[in-house]
Amino acid sequence: MHSEEQAPWRGDELSGRIYLALRDGVLDAEPVIELACLLEEWDEGTPATRELLERPVAELTTADLIRLGESLLADVGFEPTFALEPRLWATLEHALEAVKRDVRAQGITGTLRLATPDWDGSGHARVEFQGDYHGNGIPPTAGNIAGNSAAGTLANVAEAVQETIMGLILKVWPVCAAHDLGLHVGCEHEVAVWRCVGGGTHTVAPVGELT
């Protein structure tokens, strides 16, 4: 690997180390300062990189390192992968179980699961239905325990399932029994719900509770 190719890879590795150390409460100065140096070398300096490189390491407290480490991750737009943070995947799978109940309730059969296909380099989770895929997939941030509500995660998974099923069976799903119109996912009072626009927008059921 050439040096110009190594630099972005090294940045990703350092960001992952900082993320895990912050999560586990064991962050030290080394990866934070090294990432700050890389950003400066790339002419992508920020207030956090400048503070890290201008202050003596011995003066950096644990609180300083946490604050600056979090700032660096935000500066580089870091998002943990499913491999780095398995809890994100578990959160999506838990949401999928709720959506499966809605799929079965409306008479649709077939294997429905989450997967990361080898051909997809995005790192997104994709909904597989009857052995096939459709749509853009679900990014790890959709299951981010710290940054996304349970309702938001469930809504993201419901939308991905809906997109996949409709794209593969070429029919609208799910459907409002009262108005024969396709439903749309929304959130109300921190609850993911299915809504219909027929007769004025109304809530049909929480996601996972269609009949």
Side-chain angles (χ1 to χ4, degrees), residues 6-175:
Q6 290 177 329
W9 176 83
R10 182 60 176 159
D12 290 342
E13 181 191 36
L14 289 167
S15 296
R17 284 178 57 192
I18 293 169
Y19 171 82
L20 290 176
L22 284 168
R23 184 197 69 185
D24 298 336
V26 293
L27 182 64
D28 59 39
E30 179 195 353
V32 179
I33 291 174
E34 188 173 347
L35 181 57
C37 290
L38 274 181
L39 291 175
E40 289 289 340
E41 289 175 11
W42 299 340
D43 294 323
E44 296 179 6
T46 68
T49 64
R50 288 187 285 275
E51 181 176 349
L52 281 162
L53 300 181
E54 290 171 1
R55 290 180 60 182
V57 175
E59 291 185 3
L60 295 172
T61 66
T62 299
D64 288 330
L65 289 174
I66 291 172
R67 172 176 57 83
L68 293 167
E70 290 175 343
S71 293
L72 289 184
L73 294 186
D75 291 338
V76 300
F78 175 77
E79 296 179 357
T81 63
F82 290 116
L84 190 65
E85 185 53 273
R87 289 183 300 174
L88 303 181
W89 188 268
T91 300
L92 295 186
E93 288 201 318
H94 179 74
L96 181 64
E97 290 305 310
V99 183
K100 283 181 179 179
R101 294 196 294 270
D102 290 341
V103 174
R104 292 192 296 266
Q106 295 219 332
I108 294 177
T109 60
T111 303
L112 188 67
R113 71 184 188 101
L114 293 171
T116 51
D118 293 339
W119 49 262
D120 182 11
S122 70
H124 290 185
R126 290 189 176 271
V127 175
E128 179 186 310
F129 178 62
Q130 296 180 339
D132 207 349
Y133 304 91
H134 185 82
N136 297 319
I138 310 168
T141 49
N144 192 321
I145 298 164
N148 200 27
S149 68
T153 297
L154 183 53
N156 279 317
V157 174
E159 287 179 339
V161 170
Q162 181 182 42
E163 182 180 30
T164 300
I165 288 177
M166 287 175 58
L168 294 176
I169 70 173
L170 303 180
K171 293 181 181 179
V172 174
W173 176 87
V175 174

